[in-house]
Amino acid sequence: MPIARADVAHLARLSRLALAEDELDHLAPQLDEIIAAVARVQEVAAEGIPPTSHAVPLVNVLRDDVLVDCLTAEEALAGAPAVEDQRFRVPRILAED
Amino acid sequence: MDASLTQMSAAALAGAVAAGEVTAAEVTDAHLARIAATDDRVHAFLHVAGGRAREAARAVDERRAAGRPLGPLAGVPLALKDVFTTIDMPTTCGSAILDGWRPPYDATITRRLREAGVVILGKTNMDEFAMGSSTENSAFGPSHNPWDPSRVPGGSSGGSAAAVAAYQAPLGIGTDTGGSIRQPGAVCGVVGVKPTYGGSSRYGLVAFASSLDTPGPIARTVLDAALLHEVMSGHDPCDSTSVDAPVPPVVAAARQADVSGMTIGVVPEFTGEGFQPGVLARFGEAVELLEALGAKVTEVSCPHFSYALPAYYLIAPSECSSNLARFDAMRYGLRAGDDGTRSAEEVMALTRAQGFGAEVKRRIMLGTYALSSGYYDAYYGKAQQVRTLIIRDFEAAFERVDVLVSPTTPTTAFPLGERVDDPMAMYLADLCTIPSDLAGNAALSVPCGLSPDDGLPVGLQVMAPVLADDRMYRVGAAVEAALDSRRGYPLLNDARGLA
Amino acid sequence: MPGRTDPALVGYDEAVARYEPLIGLETHVELGTVTKLFCGCPATFGGAPNTHVCPVCLGLPGSLPVPSRAAIEYTIRIGLALNCSIAEWCRFARKNYFYPDMPKNFQISQYDEPLCTDGWLEVTLGEDEVAPSGQGDGGPRTFRVGIERVHLEEDTGKSQHKGGATGRIHGADYSLVDYNRAGIPLVEIVTRPVEGTGALAPAVAHAYVKELRDLLRALGVSDVRMEEGSLRCDVNTSLAPRGSGRWGTRTETKNVNSLRSVQRAVHYEIERQAGVLDAGARVIQETRHFHEDSGVTTPGRSKEEAQDYRYFPEPDLVPLAPPRDWVEQIRGSLPELPAVRRARLQDAWGITAAEMTDIRNAGALEEIEQTIAAGASPADARKWWLNELARRANDTGAELASLPITPADVAAVAALVRSGALNDRLARQVIEGVLAGEGSPDQVVAARGLAVVSDDAALNAAVDEAIAARPDVADKIRGGKVAAAGALVGAVMTATRGQADAARVRELILTRLTGS
């Protein structure tokens, strides 16, 4: 099923990518081609075949409830674009979660 | 600076340092000089850690002088793919969005190398966030194949492979998600290994596709790769997916190098259309060579392997669309468009649009699509079922044979720029390598000669069962020994790309 | 939504007369483990900002989660206490959405494979809660609230919104984020819709959260303080016309930060939704925000489309397959659950359900039980804790359990009264002394000289004085009006500052005046 340019624009919004119009013009047909190609997986008869999320079968890897050294606030904030009051300063958030 | 030091294998260098024939400092200086002399043409390195490397080398020399024991690779220099966190060097993942980022912690692999006395010369170039097969997706310019600088060194670990092929370091570390160690190894004429998934820790490896990413060694000889494999591998409690089992005896297998009595399966799905004739020719000769060495060769069909590529290009982008969501300008990395009036959401979207390259954007959107409600079952869900079928193909195959073989990649190194605007063509480079990433089993690429049509390196891929990594080293070492003895000199001597 | 005016509210009684409410609750519990869910940072409340963080809970590139066994165990404990089935095999899943308080922009949670499923919790409303509703016969009513699932997920960081007038997001210029809380283990408990509550819906919601809170406290898995955010509630409410046989559109109300708010939020939503339906409009499916000060709910942001979280199994974590013997070991270690304990004690103490409710409402169960264990009778223990001490706790705004008097002290006082060494009035003074930090009951009695005077010689002197002062009363008594002795007893009590043994005084008076 081909994917329309508007759908690609929607995907960009969902992915938080502010694509320019010419970028969208360039990427949309490429995405369309790729999606058509990967849709080939639907040709495979897979009735009753369980999906694999983890190739190597481990279970129950757990950790003891023991404290480990933290980063200092300085280390945590070292790469931050903006800091105030020892917190990460971020632009105004539009939507309440 | 003794130029011959850069020609030595890691094993030989380690031996020389341990024996006191040369200091680790001299070894490091020789390689730093080689980088300085050649990297303007190769562009393997994004960051050269001159001062730190010399300090690390000095520490090895002091240790030796104090009579304390040295590890098997102490004093040997290494090129580390810029996808691993290093507390004293930037970590960019080849991306503008992390340009200048200095992590506050070392990856487990980084830590193990330091503890082993391996000298990290610097961080190497890569396709952005490990997405690509040519290193052309790096935000900092591509690397160049030492065989022919107008050609790609493969990707995404192209920088590490080029560094090793150019004698800038005897050892390199890359990551393999769809073939990103093996394919660069093949097109650069060096050994590239993807261990069993979970064999080496992913803690500190910036994630592209979590269920596929596998760190692995790159070297000029199979034995060197095996030595590095043992140093970097092993269980890590910081990585839930890391295998809690002894590292397979890969060094012993590399030394043993005897394939007599082994059964070897050729995968017919990987020998037909789309493969460069010269590649198929060298592959065929390698198979004959294995028979001559005493292995029994048979054809083993793996029917679902032809669906591996589409399944991979659903699973990997899905995981990466989620893994890369954290790059949002809030806590580290690039922040663009924050003029004081824009919202956090807008700044996120502008930053990501500016900081990510086209391939990363394509894969993020593809992943978002495949995981969307209404599409999940037909795309991501279906791909995971195909993954099960591929695992079963491998299991059935390994009941009949000890290892499977194929060409590593359908063509030799392609020219820079040839596939940059054609994602589908680029993806085909991973055709043969992807199944092992999906199934998590071990696979390596060992050079098997130069293509008759263009004189460029061809790689033989050897695939072994999960946790049977030693088997592929045995086969790889046997092929290497036979070809080296037939040729009479190291393959890389034919690399005219770097005078 | 700005500009939208709601239709007028319909009065509560009328609303529940014509509409049938359906409620559901989603509760998040912060576990009291030592470390966070996926890393070894402290899971404690407070701390200077961004000092309880590491690469994992900050979601730094390259970091990986490793789950804590303790958090899984606590979750199984909760599931078992809620009568759930424990999954034999399940996975964590990624819930993907962008928000600055989420370091990875996905939350590791559970989606279609929760750790615990299909349980229930019984909730009993006392007579005092049922009667005003006019539902049933006014006696206590029990509702079985179905538990759909209990699962484990990581908590987010906390944002402060700066620049706006209210400190809320709307109108803020920027925000400051602290990730200390990010990664703390959170258990989400989701009920099935609770049917048949009628006018009792708000009370049932309140009682459910209260019972759940007491249960979690008894399990020792969380300190469950709503005011600190270690217990958070979202309440779902919908209305359908009575007898229509279908269910209405539900709203989800957040920011419900106390037990009382749970009740008020449901109450308000019922009135509001009835108003909307009466006006012929449709209830909008949305998230609403509860306001403590006014008791109203207002719409949250309007969403263009329902949020698609693109859930998929978390590839960085391997599946959980809790061994059955481990589950049974956990089951064996569960403490007696609160409802069971209350029923047992109610029986043992010979009290009514209403009386047990009073004890529970006063938060005195533990104290009374321990006072009885220290030797007091159930009646005495209840009397002291529910009257004198509850009053003092209310006066100072303290919790009963934090008063500076122990159950052993109270038992000692009760014993002194029982032996006649103290009367009630003196006992209250002793208690006052203990609360003031003057020492143990015996020490206070000695220091303040509060012993009951039973020495006949001393009493007779006071008796004689009282008789002499009120000859008219004395005559009445001589004449057979024994009841009049009360006035003289009172006079003696006053004269002895309440320390006389009143019963003995009365005997002495009667003996003096009537010879018997």
Side-chain angles (χ1 to χ4, degrees):
Chain A
M1 206 181 85
I3 183 166
R5 189 180 183 282
D7 295 327
V8 177
H10 180 63
L11 284 176
R13 270 195 305 279
L14 287 179
S15 315
R16 294 290 188 274
L17 294 168
L19 298 182
E21 288 304 308
D22 59 341
E23 234 183 325
L24 201 49
D25 288 338
H26 184 68
L27 292 175
Q30 288 178 332
L31 222 46
D32 186 33
E33 193 191 353
I34 297 168
I35 287 172
V38 297
R40 275 197 70 221
V41 294
Q42 290 156 17
E43 291 169 20
V44 179
E47 269 308 312
I49 305 289
T52 295
S53 56
H54 298 82
V56 183
L58 296 165
V59 289
N60 291 340
V61 177
L62 301 173
R63 163 181 73 77
D64 293 337
D65 197 16
V66 171
L67 288 172
V68 172
D69 284 340
C70 298
L71 294 174
T72 62
E74 206 189 316
E75 287 169 326
L77 294 161
V83 177
E84 186 179 300
D85 279 353
Q86 204 166 283
R87 290 174 172 81
F88 293 84
R89 180 179 160 143
V90 306
R92 64 191 173 87
I93 302 168
L94 275 182
E96 187 132 36
D97 180 59
Chain B
M1 300 298 139
D2 189 345
S4 67
L5 284 175
T6 58
Q7 305 256 305
M8 285 167 72
S9 70
L13 284 169
V17 167
E21 289 159 16
V22 71
T23 62
E26 285 170 305
V27 173
T28 293
D29 284 342
H31 286 86
L32 289 172
R34 175 73 180 164
I35 292 170
T38 57
D39 212 39
D40 56 330
R41 281 164 286 156
V42 181
H43 190 226
F45 283 87
L46 293 177
H47 177 86
V48 180
R52 300 276 191 196
R54 291 191 173 95
E55 266 171 42
R58 239 188 333 269
V60 172
D61 288 330
E62 279 161 16
R63 203 182 156 84
R64 190 191 174 274
R68 286 165 42 225
L70 295 178
L73 288 175
V76 180
L78 179 142
L80 184 62
K81 185 175 184 180
D82 202 18
V83 76
F84 292 93
T85 60
T86 42
I87 207 165
D88 57 355
M89 294 178 240
T91 301
T92 68
C93 305
S95 180
I97 216 167
L98 277 183
D99 192 7
W101 182 55
R102 291 201 170 241
Y105 76 108
D106 269 347
T108 295
I109 291 232
T110 305
R111 192 172 45 79
R112 285 187 178 164
L113 292 172
R114 296 196 211 266
E115 283 166 4
V118 172
V119 176
I120 302 173
L121 293 175
K123 311 297 285 299
T124 55
N125 199 15
M126 52 184 285
D127 283 296
E128 188 181 4
F129 289 111
M131 300 183 215
S133 308
S134 67
T135 322
E136 289 167 295
N137 292 331
S138 167
F140 308 107
S143 299
H144 299 260
N145 194 318
W147 287 80
D148 175 350
S150 74
R151 292 180 184 262
V152 303
S156 60
S157 309
S160 288
V164 169
Y167 293 97
Q168 293 172 339
L171 296 174
I173 286 183
T175 59
D176 196 305
T177 306
S180 290
I181 290 176
R182 291 162 285 160
Q183 181 257 7
V187 305
C188 285
V190 294
V191 177
V193 182
K194 186 198 88 68
T196 295
Y197 175 83
S200 291
S201 171
R202 287 188 302 116
Y203 185 74
L205 158 54
V206 179
F208 155 28
S210 313
S211 75
L212 304 167
D213 291 344
T214 312
I218 296 172
R220 294 189 291 269
T221 69
V222 173
L223 177 60
D224 278 358
L227 287 164
L228 180 53
H229 186 133
E230 285 192 359
V231 165
M232 61 189 276
S233 295
H235 179 244
D236 181 12
C238 291
D239 175 358
S240 299
T241 59
S242 100
V243 167
D244 193 1
V247 179
V250 297
V251 170
R255 292 198 206 276
Q256 192 225 19
D258 175 12
V259 299
S260 52
M262 287 185 84
T263 48
I264 299 192
V266 171
V267 181
E269 283 80 12
F270 288 155
T271 49
E273 209 188 296
F275 283 78
Q276 186 177 326
V279 167
L280 289 176
R282 286 284 106 95
F283 171 69
E285 286 161 21
V287 172
E288 282 165 13
L289 174 60
L290 284 167
E291 268 181 319
L293 290 171
K296 184 164 175 305
V297 176
T298 180
E299 196 176 84
V300 180
S301 171
C302 298
H304 298 97
F305 278 22
S306 51
Y307 293 97
L309 201 90
Y312 171 82
Y313 278 102
L314 281 168
I315 293 172
S318 296
E319 293 184 6
C320 102
S321 69
S322 178
N323 283 328
L324 267 62
R326 71 193 69 205
F327 299 104
D328 65 359
M330 300 293 120
R331 289 162 295 285
Y332 43 80
L334 182 71
R335 179 180 283 185
D338 186 12
D339 59 4
T341 70
R342 293 204 171 98
S343 67
E345 290 81 352
E346 288 171 304
V347 169
M348 276 188 204
L350 285 167
T351 300
R352 290 159 64 81
Q354 183 179 318
F356 288 143
E359 183 61 35
V360 168
K361 287 172 179 163
R362 276 190 288 267
R363 296 200 196 190
I364 287 175
M365 289 193 286
L366 183 53
T368 301
Y369 180 81
L371 291 173
S372 291
S373 162
Y375 296 98
Y376 181 102
D377 288 339
Y379 290 95
Y380 182 76
K382 206 61 196 254
Q384 290 209 318
Q385 288 178 301
V386 171
R387 192 172 184 177
T388 303
L389 292 169
I390 288 171
I391 290 171
R392 290 181 183 181
D393 277 4
F394 269 115
E395 283 169 352
F398 289 130
E399 301 217 327
R400 296 174 51 196
V401 296
D402 294 320
V403 298
L404 291 169
V405 293
S406 78
T408 300
T409 184
T411 68
T412 55
F414 45 89
L416 286 158
E418 180 185 272
R419 303 188 190 184
V420 173
D421 289 321
D422 190 351
M424 298 291 321
M426 188 71 85
Y427 296 164
L428 284 171
D430 296 333
L431 187 69
C432 311
T433 45
I434 276 175
S436 293
D437 292 290
L438 289 173
N441 59 286
L444 60 65
S445 175
V446 62
C448 64
L450 302 181
S451 175
D453 37 36
D454 55 23
L456 293 169
V458 176
L460 167 72
Q461 177 177 231
V462 185
M463 294 173 267
V466 168
L467 288 178
D469 304 40
D470 49 304
R471 269 188 226 177
M472 64 184 179
Y473 275 95
R474 204 169 128 193
V475 174
V479 169
E480 174 190 70
L483 289 178
D484 278 354
S485 116
R486 189 189 282 174
R487 194 187 312 111
Y489 57 85
L491 177 75
L492 280 165
N493 284 16
D494 280 337
R496 302 274 178 257
L498 287 176
Chain C
M1 207 188 306
R4 186 179 86 183
T5 42
D6 273 330
L9 306 181
V10 169
Y12 186 78
D13 291 339
E14 215 198 307
V16 294
R18 289 187 285 108
Y19 294 102
E20 180 66 46
L22 192 66
I23 54 170
L25 290 110
E26 265 176 42
T27 308
H28 286 88
V29 186
E30 262 181 18
L31 295 182
T33 51
V34 173
T35 61
K36 292 185 177 183
L37 179 51
F38 295 120
C39 67
C41 289
T44 43
F45 179 77
N50 292 304
T51 55
H52 294 166
V53 295
C54 74
V56 177
C57 54
L58 271 182
L60 292 187
S63 64
L64 292 174
V66 184
S68 124
R69 182 179 306 104
I72 310 248
E73 183 182 321
Y74 281 24
T75 309
I76 294 176
R77 269 167 93 76
I78 294 171
L80 290 173
L82 291 173
N83 306 288
C84 292
S85 307
I86 309 301
E88 301 210 352
W89 186 92
C90 67
R91 290 173 293 192
F92 286 98
R94 289 193 185 177
K95 181 179 184 182
N96 296 284
Y97 63 102
F98 288 86
Y99 202 74
D101 71 0
M102 284 216 308
K104 301 186 289 289
N105 285 318
F106 61 84
Q107 180 194 33
I108 301 180
S109 176
Q110 295 193 292
Y111 176 50
D112 52 355
E113 298 166 356
L115 193 45
C116 321
T117 51
D118 286 332
W120 47 268
L121 181 65
E122 268 182 5
V123 155
T124 302
L125 299 184
E127 288 156 8
D128 55 325
E129 294 166 283
V130 177
S133 73
Q135 305 237 316
D137 58 12
R141 282 192 60 187
T142 297
F143 293 85
R144 177 174 280 212
V145 176
I147 304 292
E148 187 178 291
R149 52 187 285 148
V150 177
H151 77 249
L152 186 53
E153 61 188 27
E154 54 179 348
D155 206 347
T156 63
K158 271 178 102 158
S159 324
Q160 280 177 354
H161 308 299
K162 307 291 248 180
T166 63
R168 285 191 58 204
I169 274 193
H170 305 294
D173 291 329
Y174 63 95
S175 299
L176 299 178
V177 192
D178 170 19
Y179 293 103
N180 279 0
R181 196 182 70 176
I184 287 185
L186 218 52
V187 166
E188 182 173 329
I189 301 167
V190 182
T191 70
R192 297 196 193 287
V194 189
E195 299 180 37
T197 56
L200 292 171
V204 173
H206 174 274
Y208 167 79
V209 178
K210 185 171 176 185
E211 188 68 49
L212 183 64
R213 186 196 62 180
D214 288 352
L215 181 122
L216 294 167
R217 209 175 263 152
L219 290 175
V221 296
S222 169
D223 60 15
V224 279
R225 292 181 195 280
M226 285 183 88
E227 68 281 9
E228 277 178 13
S230 53
L231 179 69
R232 296 168 223 163
C233 256
D234 299 336
V235 186
N236 297 337
T237 318
S238 70
L239 289 185
R242 274 194 184 278
S244 66
R246 52 181 173 74
W247 294 117
T249 305
R250 69 178 162 95
T251 61
E252 182 186 29
T253 304
K254 290 182 172 286
N255 195 47
V256 181
N257 295 332
S258 68
L259 284 179
R260 191 161 128 67
S261 297
V262 170
Q263 188 150 3
R264 292 165 77 210
V266 174
H267 186 106
Y268 180 80
E269 269 301 289
I270 288 173
E271 293 185 336
R272 186 190 71 81
Q273 292 187 19
V276 169
L277 295 173
D278 271 7
R282 290 192 309 150
V283 172
I284 297 170
Q285 180 174 341
E286 62 185 347
T287 299
R288 297 182 69 89
H289 181 99
F290 180 73
H291 298 261
E292 286 278 342
D293 44 359
S294 53
V296 311
T297 67
T298 54
R301 76 183 150 165
S302 70
K303 305 175 197 186
E304 298 161 14
E305 69 239 343
Q307 182 80 280
D308 177 9
Y309 294 114
R310 298 188 292 282
Y311 286 100
F312 68 101
E314 170 58 78
D316 285 331
L317 294 174
V318 299
L320 295 176
R324 295 300 94 177
D325 57 355
W326 187 42
V327 173
E328 290 316 304
Q329 187 198 325
I330 296 170
R331 193 196 303 274
S333 76
L334 291 180
E336 185 182 34
L337 299 183
V340 173
R341 180 169 173 237
R342 287 196 301 271
R344 177 174 63 79
L345 292 175
Q346 184 182 318
D347 196 50
W349 298 342
I351 59 177
T352 65
E355 286 167 330
M356 178 53 86
T357 302
D358 288 342
I359 291 174
R360 195 178 171 208
N361 288 343
L365 188 64
E366 198 59 51
E367 287 63 34
I368 289 172
E369 194 186 19
Q370 287 176 23
T371 304
I372 293 168
S377 72
D380 278 347
R382 279 168 47 231
K383 169 182 143 181
W384 286 110
W385 284 102
L386 295 183
N387 300 319
E388 183 68 21
L389 291 167
R391 189 172 52 75
R392 284 185 186 272
N394 274 338
D395 287 349
T396 57
E399 274 189 35
L400 211 57
S402 65
L403 289 178
I405 186 167
T406 68
D409 289 335
V410 174
V413 170
L416 288 170
V417 172
R418 215 173 36 245
S419 72
L422 291 178
N423 56 29
D424 272 0
R425 187 162 166 277
L426 292 174
R428 278 194 291 278
Q429 292 179 47
V430 172
I431 283 178
E432 186 188 278
V434 174
L435 288 173
E438 292 168 26
S440 72
D442 283 341
Q443 287 167 339
V444 172
V445 164
R448 290 196 187 189
L450 292 176
V452 164
V453 176
S454 333
D455 170 26
D456 280 3
L459 288 178
N460 274 326
V463 163
D464 289 342
E465 270 185 46
I467 290 171
R470 298 292 304 270
D472 52 325
V473 176
D475 282 338
K476 278 194 194 147
I477 294 168
R478 285 194 196 92
K481 278 216 174 123
V482 167
L488 293 180
V489 170
V492 172
M493 295 304 287
T494 304
T496 59
R497 291 187 320 280
Q499 286 180 237
D501 179 344
R504 187 73 189 127
V505 164
R506 190 169 186 279
E507 280 172 11
L508 293 171
I509 290 169
L510 291 175
T511 306
R512 260 287 191 272
L513 297 173
T514 67
S516 58

